[in-house]
Amino acid sequence: MEKSKVKAAIYTYVAQELLHGNAGDLREDTPLLDLGVIDSMSIQKVIVFFESTFHVKIPDQEVRPENFSSIEKMASFIMSLNANA
Amino acid sequence: MDFSWSDEEQQLYERTLAFFSHLKVVTDKPLVSRTSDVWRAMGEFGVLGVAVDASHGGLGLTPLQTVHMTEAIGLGINNFGLAFAALAHAFACVEPIAKFCTPEIRETWLPRLLSGDAVGANAITEAEAGSDAFALHTEAVRDGSDYVISGVKSYVSNGPASDILLVYASTNKNAGLLGVSAFVIPTNMKGVTLGKPFDGMGLDCAPIGPVYFDACRIPGSSLLGHEGSGAQIFRHSMQWERTGLFGAYVGLAQRMLERSIVYAKERIQGDVAIGKHQAISHRIANMQTRIESARCLLYRAAWSITHEDRNRSEMLVSSAKLHVSEMAVSTAMDAIAIHGGMGCMRDVGIECALRDSIPSTIFSGTSDIQRNAIAAHLGL
Ligand SMILES: Cc1cc2nc3c(=O)[nH]c(=O)nc-3n(C[C@H](O)[C@H](O)[C@H](O)COP(=O)(O)OP(=O)(O)OC[C@H]3O[C@@H](n4cnc5c(N)ncnc54)[C@H](O)[C@@H]3O)c2cc1C
């Protein structure tokens, strides 16, 4: 899968599921952890979404800020998992 | 999936049931304390390290074997608060410490925590971080090779009696829940103050209270795992607690059922035993059905932890925690109804099951939070 498509799928997911359609000026580098968009309630949803949509397995030790802090970081993370698969 | 028990597993169940049925609980002194004979006896029996790997001195049981054993505890013990305190210590403090801490801390603390020479507690909840467990204000700031911790934890089970705490604090405010780290903190460190126990509902001998950290300086080696792995460690410990501790609630409900059956046969009203009234016998039939379905779901969830992928097992564990806790409440209500006025009297030992069960729908994540987790796993 191309990174641009991964990014677009994550963008749509964040906008619709986590921001309930109120994406405002959501950007690829919007700090989602810092803003609390990804929190204890939503992280599990995001992991389930990644695993089912991109057919990857997310190891516990990879659930780190640098992999989830923005749409751009998440897309790069998914690409790295695909590359290593 | 096979839920039949080997001879060895069945013997452990029988021994546990006998041990807890005969445990002499004298409540004029604190039970949850390293100076308590009962606490040490539970350590000697192995309960305090039930989930710890055998290579580290624990019983090394699987989650499924664990719920079988804790079911016997809940069935046998007549002071459920003590079971709660021991299992909270075992699952939310001792197991994660054994699994994630440095060898140095493991060598210093684990033998004491396993033997009953120390009481452990887990401190995550704060006034403004309850269901949103990782919205923590407690901060751990790096200072050279140390961390300096400040903040207040509320509702720490065993906290007022604890010797060691597993504390979750933020090491990176900008990273939200992924900036949470876990630390092992002895309670005799300067800057730690244990609050007085709250006067809460049920779980009578288990002290639950706040803990205060005022610029408490701890060495870097107190960190479990790495910075930012607190959420992962907490989720791991909750998989144990939401199964292991809830096995004891299945046992408690089973005890209520057995007492209700005896009473329904003995108590005569209108010239017949009350169990002959369909209102009572159907109530008991419903209790039996609910307990058995909760037990099966709990076994299924515990089995899943070692046999299925994490997403599936987390969903099943949330379902089991939700179902067992709500089953325990309704079973206790039924037992009270069947015992009539007697069921409301403290010295009869029925109403306490309701007081002990209601908090189980709150701790380890409320019923609503379990439903949220289940829905999230279903993609909702
Ligand atoms: C007996 C007992 C022992 C405990 N032991 C410990 C311990 O050892 N260590 C520790 O750290 N903590 C402990 N706790 C704290 C416990 O984990 C919290 O009380 C629990 O997580 C709920 O948090 P809260 O009390 O702040 O309630 P809140 O989070 O304020 O919830 C209030 C109500 O709102 C609902 N709610 C909140 N958010 C949502 C949402 N997103 N969706 C739907 N409903 C929602 C809740 O379900 C609840 O009905 C214990 C609590 C009890 C009662």
Side-chain angles (χ1 to χ4, degrees):
Chain A
M1 201 172 194
E2 288 161 36
K3 187 171 177 185
S4 59
K5 288 193 177 144
V6 171
K7 227 186 267 182
I10 298 174
Y11 185 99
T12 306
Y13 180 81
V14 172
Q16 288 182 357
E17 295 295 326
L18 305 186
L19 297 169
H20 311 291
N22 303 318
D25 57 356
L26 176 67
R27 294 189 321 262
E28 288 175 6
D29 62 351
T30 298
L32 300 174
L33 287 166
D34 195 7
L35 295 173
V37 175
I38 295 184
D39 61 12
S40 58
M41 307 288 167
S42 55
I43 184 85
Q44 206 46 46
K45 281 186 174 187
V46 173
I47 292 172
V48 172
F49 168 73
F50 283 176
E51 294 194 342
S52 60
T53 308
F54 304 121
H55 308 291
V56 290
K57 222 56 264 91
I58 298 185
D60 271 345
Q61 62 275 16
E62 293 300 332
V63 184
R64 293 198 305 242
E66 50 271 38
N67 293 334
F68 286 82
S69 56
S70 66
I71 292 172
E72 164 61 32
K73 289 281 165 65
M74 289 191 276
S76 301
F77 173 50
I78 297 296
M79 295 308 289
S80 74
L81 288 174
N82 272 331
N84 294 334
Chain B
M1 224 176 294
D2 178 2
F3 299 149
S4 57
W5 306 109
S6 67
D7 289 347
E8 209 180 318
E9 288 165 340
Q10 193 53 34
Q11 278 162 15
L12 177 62
Y13 179 93
E14 304 295 344
R15 275 198 296 120
T16 306
L17 183 57
F19 176 84
F20 280 93
S21 305
H22 297 120
L23 198 62
K24 294 241 178 325
V25 180
V26 183
T27 48
D28 58 346
K29 281 192 282 183
L31 295 171
V32 180
S33 159
R34 70 189 131 88
T35 60
S36 147
D37 292 343
V38 171
W39 191 257
R40 284 174 179 270
M42 290 195 296
E44 203 173 315
F45 190 78
V47 172
L48 303 181
V50 54
V52 172
D53 215 75
S55 62
H56 293 142
L59 292 188
L61 300 185
T62 65
L64 181 59
Q65 291 167 330
T66 300
V67 296
H68 192 222
M69 181 182 181
T70 56
E71 204 181 318
I73 297 175
L75 179 59
I77 200 164
N78 67 7
N79 183 325
F80 195 82
L82 184 58
F84 167 80
L87 298 176
H89 163 103
F91 297 126
C93 180
V94 181
E95 198 280 338
I97 287 180
K99 190 169 169 78
F100 296 102
C101 74
T102 58
E104 178 196 324
I105 289 185
R106 196 179 291 133
E107 273 157 36
T108 317
W109 281 99
L110 206 51
R112 293 188 57 192
L113 288 163
L114 295 176
S115 67
D117 186 38
V119 174
N122 140 68
I124 183 163
T125 308
E126 299 176 0
E128 287 167 54
S131 296
D132 190 5
F134 297 105
L136 300 178
H137 287 279
T138 299
E139 251 188 302
V141 178
R142 256 242 183 241
D143 184 20
S145 60
D146 296 340
Y147 287 94
V148 177
I149 308 226
S150 298
V152 181
K153 296 293 178 179
S154 44
Y155 309 130
V156 180
S157 299
N158 298 344
S162 61
D163 301 292
I164 192 157
L165 295 160
L166 174 51
V167 179
Y168 294 86
S170 174
T171 42
N172 177 359
K173 283 272 174 213
N174 296 335
L177 91 155
L178 300 184
V180 171
S181 303
F183 298 91
V184 174
I185 307 182
T187 56
N188 60 5
M189 297 291 282
K190 193 162 171 271
V192 181
T193 307
L194 303 179
K196 289 207 169 63
F198 295 117
D199 187 11
M201 165 192 258
L203 306 172
D204 284 345
C205 72
I208 300 168
V211 179
Y212 307 89
F213 299 95
D214 181 10
C216 170
R217 180 175 288 274
I218 52 169
S221 59
S222 312
L223 176 71
L224 262 70
H226 53 82
E227 274 194 21
S229 63
Q232 177 200 334
I233 293 170
F234 184 70
R235 275 172 58 202
H236 168 87
S237 75
M238 283 301 107
Q239 287 286 89
W240 276 105
E241 183 168 289
R242 288 174 186 163
T243 48
L245 209 158
F246 287 80
Y249 276 99
V250 171
L252 173 64
Q254 180 69 34
R255 183 148 52 89
M256 289 301 107
L257 170 67
E258 290 174 8
R259 288 196 57 177
S260 298
I261 294 170
V262 170
Y263 189 72
K265 287 179 179 168
E266 281 174 6
R267 171 75 173 158
I268 309 291
Q269 282 296 280
D271 291 335
V272 290
I274 58 168
K276 294 291 173 201
H277 298 302
Q278 199 179 60
I280 299 291
S281 64
H282 279 193
R283 196 185 282 277
I284 290 176
N286 286 342
M287 289 166 85
Q288 156 65 26
T289 306
R290 251 188 271 117
I291 292 170
E292 199 57 47
S293 66
R295 175 184 285 124
C296 288
L297 180 54
L298 187 62
Y299 289 177
R300 171 77 182 82
W303 179 88
S304 175
I305 294 174
T306 45
H307 289 81
E308 291 179 296
D309 73 49
R310 186 189 55 192
N311 284 329
R312 179 138 187 87
S313 78
E314 282 190 347
M315 182 182 75
L316 288 166
V317 167
S318 283
S319 297
K321 191 273 174 184
L322 169 67
H323 192 43
V324 171
S325 58
E326 300 205 336
M327 172 282 287
V329 172
S330 44
T331 301
M333 292 281 286
D334 281 340
I336 292 170
I338 290 164
H339 284 77
M342 259 181 65
C344 299
M345 301 301 135
R346 287 206 173 206
D347 57 354
V348 177
I350 296 291
E351 57 77 48
C352 57
L354 182 60
R355 290 187 289 111
D356 291 336
S357 296
I358 289 176
S360 76
T361 64
I362 307 288
F363 63 72
S364 306
T366 68
S367 291
D368 299 321
I369 294 307
Q370 305 311 321
R371 288 189 178 90
N372 284 353
I374 296 161
H377 284 288
L378 295 172
L380 298 169

